[in-house]
């Protein structure tokens, strides 16, 4: 078994996967003022994730809850059903929505009336539905992180030449030094997605639970891979492009929960504009141009990682086009049919599923 693991490890870190021709891992030793990203540094994202969880707990408790109350959101306490092992077991293992005949059978088994069994299941199902306050807290945390990340990303990037000239992302590659700002930008983003992965079981229950698991793992994998291959300059640009749209959506959701309809609608329109600019225009014309075309200018023999990363980025762009189509449909209905989106009959949910974000869009008609 140890031999198999050792062989797999040597295959995974084979230089031809990650490095240009005639470059080995030995070249990535810090020297002469050059500092390179190292794979073992990614282990630090796990404890950093727990630090973010502590920050999340404190911000939700001492900032989000008072803010929700100020916006008029009340903490509704749901009535818990009476403890009943038989009904609880049936609820967890068989069905949350038993048929009338099944309810009658459970009533006989528990020696109670059909009405009490129906009431028990109704209250038990209500406990599975997150309260508006809980939804607001989660949206507040995501909004806070994406906004902070966007501001920090701009501060880290605005004075860098590759922010204005995308060709600069490949100048000197792979021997590009790692800046402290790039280190913390990556650590924060990867740690954030680890923290979301850790809290999937206690966050608001979603039908797309497995999609969220795949999303977070994919985001972590893509960012970690770009870190190991020292594609950090491009990676920070991808992170920035995605985060700058996401916080507008989370803000719209917060005001949706507070039933500030006009504010919610305006924020959703701003999100839509930001989404089309960053995901439909900048990402393909700026980022994909740098990842697909420019590497061939500097090297005629692309490494395996070139195809792996670009394949995933092209799939991501395909998803962007699909999500953009769904957003356009919502905007068209809002403009021409005067349907209120997010608040009212149409509820738009979107979660980032990319580098770091990659995004899954759900439309739910209430």
């Amino acid at each position: 078994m140890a031999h198999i693991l050792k062989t797999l490890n040597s295959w995974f870190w084979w230089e031809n996967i990650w490095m240009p021709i005639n470059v080995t891992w030995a070249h990535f030793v810090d020297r002469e003022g050059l500092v390179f990203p190292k794979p073992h540094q990614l282990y630090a994202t796990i404890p950093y994730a727990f630090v973010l969880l502590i920050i999340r707990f404190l911000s939700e408790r001492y900032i989000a809850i008072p803010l929700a109350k100020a916006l008029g959101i009340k903490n509704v306490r749901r009535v818990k059903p009476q403890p009943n092992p038989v009904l609880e077991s049936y609820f967890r293992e068989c069905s949350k929505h038993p048929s009338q005949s099944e309810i009658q059978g459970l009533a006989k088994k528990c020696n109670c009336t059909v009405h009490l069994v129906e009431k028990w299941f109704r209250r038990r199902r209500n406990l599975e539905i997150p309260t508006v306050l809980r939804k607001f807290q989660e949206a507040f945390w995501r909004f806070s992180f994406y906004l902070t990340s966007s501001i920090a990303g701009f501060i880290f990037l605005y004075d860098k030449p590759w922010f204005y000239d995308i060709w600069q992302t490949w100048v000197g590659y792979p021997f590009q030094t790692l800046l402290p700002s790039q280190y913390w930008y990556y650590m924060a983003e990867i740690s954030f997605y680890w923290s979301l992965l850790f809290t999937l079981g206690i966050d608001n229950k979603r039908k797309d639970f497995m999609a969220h698991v795949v999303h977070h793992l994919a985001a972590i994998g893509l960012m970690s891979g770009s870190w190991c291959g020292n594609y950090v300059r491009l990676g920070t640009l991808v992170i920035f492009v995605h985060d700058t749209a996401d916080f507008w959506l989370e803000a719209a959701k917060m005001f949706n929960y507070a039933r500030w309809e006009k504010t919610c609608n305006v924020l959703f329109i701003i999100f839509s504009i930001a989404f089309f600019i960053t995901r439909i225009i900048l990402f393909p014309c700026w980022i994909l141009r740098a990842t697909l075309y420019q590497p061939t200018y500097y090297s005629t023999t692309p490494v395996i990682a070139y195809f792996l990363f670009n394949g995933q980025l092209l799939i991501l762009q395909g998803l962007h086009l699909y999500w953009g189509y769904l957003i356009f449909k919502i905007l068209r209905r809002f403009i021409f049919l005067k349907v209120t989106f997010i608040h009212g009959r149409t509820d738009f949910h979107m979660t980032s599923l990319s580098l770091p974000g990659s995004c899954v869009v759900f439309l739910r008609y209430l």
Side-chain angles (χ1 to χ4, degrees), residues 188-200:
E189 288 288 336
I190 298 176
S191 300
F192 175 69
Y193 282 97
W194 275 123
S195 70
L196 293 183
L197 195 64
F198 295 156
T199 57
L200 276 176

Side-chain angles (χ1 to χ4, degrees), residues 170-183:
W170 294 106
V171 173
Y173 180 83
F175 304 113
Q176 297 170 343
T177 189
L178 176 68
L179 303 175
S181 59
Q182 294 171 329
Y183 171 85

Side-chain angles (χ1 to χ4, degrees), residues 26-36 175:
H27 291 96
F28 282 79
V29 177
D30 297 348
R31 65 186 185 278
E32 301 173 0
L34 292 176
V35 179
F36 301 106
F175 304 113

Side-chain angles (χ1 to χ4, degrees), residues 38-223:
K38 303 170 183 62
H40 69 81
Q41 292 173 317
L42 296 173
Y43 291 126
T45 59
I46 302 297
Y48 289 155
F50 286 101
V51 172
L52 285 179
L53 289 176
I54 295 173
I55 297 173
R56 174 179 177 175
F57 172 79
L58 295 175
S59 63
E60 288 184 353
R61 185 180 181 89
Y62 296 106
I63 302 178
I65 292 179
L67 179 60
K69 291 180 179 179
L71 293 174
I73 299 175
K74 297 180 180 180
N75 186 16
V76 178
R77 295 185 180 276
R78 294 196 171 98
V79 180
K80 293 183 179 181
Q82 292 293 328
N84 190 311
V86 175
L87 298 182
E88 183 66 29
S89 176
Y90 192 90
F91 182 88
R92 291 178 178 272
E93 299 175 7
C94 298
S95 174
K96 298 179 181 180
H97 299 271
S99 64
Q100 192 63 32
S101 60
E102 290 171 334
I103 290 176
Q104 291 174 355
L106 289 169
K108 291 180 181 180
K109 194 173 183 178
C110 298
N111 194 26
C112 60
T113 65
V114 171
H115 174 71
L116 287 177
V117 174
E118 291 175 341
K119 185 178 180 181
W120 189 96
F121 272 93
R122 185 166 56 252
R123 288 182 173 179
R124 185 63 181 83
R125 286 193 298 268
N126 287 339
L127 291 180
E128 298 282 304
I129 303 173
T131 63
V132 175
L133 179 61
R134 185 72 198 111
K135 292 180 180 179
F136 181 90
Q137 288 177 278
E138 186 174 325
F140 173 82
W141 167 244
R142 293 173 185 266
F143 164 79
S144 301
F145 181 85
Y146 290 136
L147 177 62
T148 303
S149 176
S150 299
I151 295 174
F154 179 76
I155 293 173
F156 293 158
L157 290 168
Y158 85 96
D159 61 344
K160 305 300 186 295
W162 53 87
F163 189 59
Y164 306 96
D165 181 8
I166 198 70
W167 284 90
Q168 293 295 321
T169 57
W170 294 106
V171 173
Y173 180 83
F175 304 113
Q176 297 170 343
T177 189
L178 176 68
L179 303 175
S181 59
Q182 294 171 329
Y183 171 85
W184 288 111
Y185 200 22
Y186 257 76
M187 292 297 109
E189 288 288 336
I190 298 176
S191 300
F192 175 69
Y193 282 97
W194 275 123
S195 70
L196 293 183
L197 195 64
F198 295 156
T199 57
L200 276 176
I202 60 175
D203 281 339
N204 298 332
K205 302 296 181 181
R206 295 182 174 89
K207 295 180 181 179
D208 59 322
F209 176 85
M210 287 308 302
H212 277 74
V213 174
V214 174
H215 154 247
H216 299 333
L217 290 175
I220 293 169
L222 284 170
M223 287 187 285

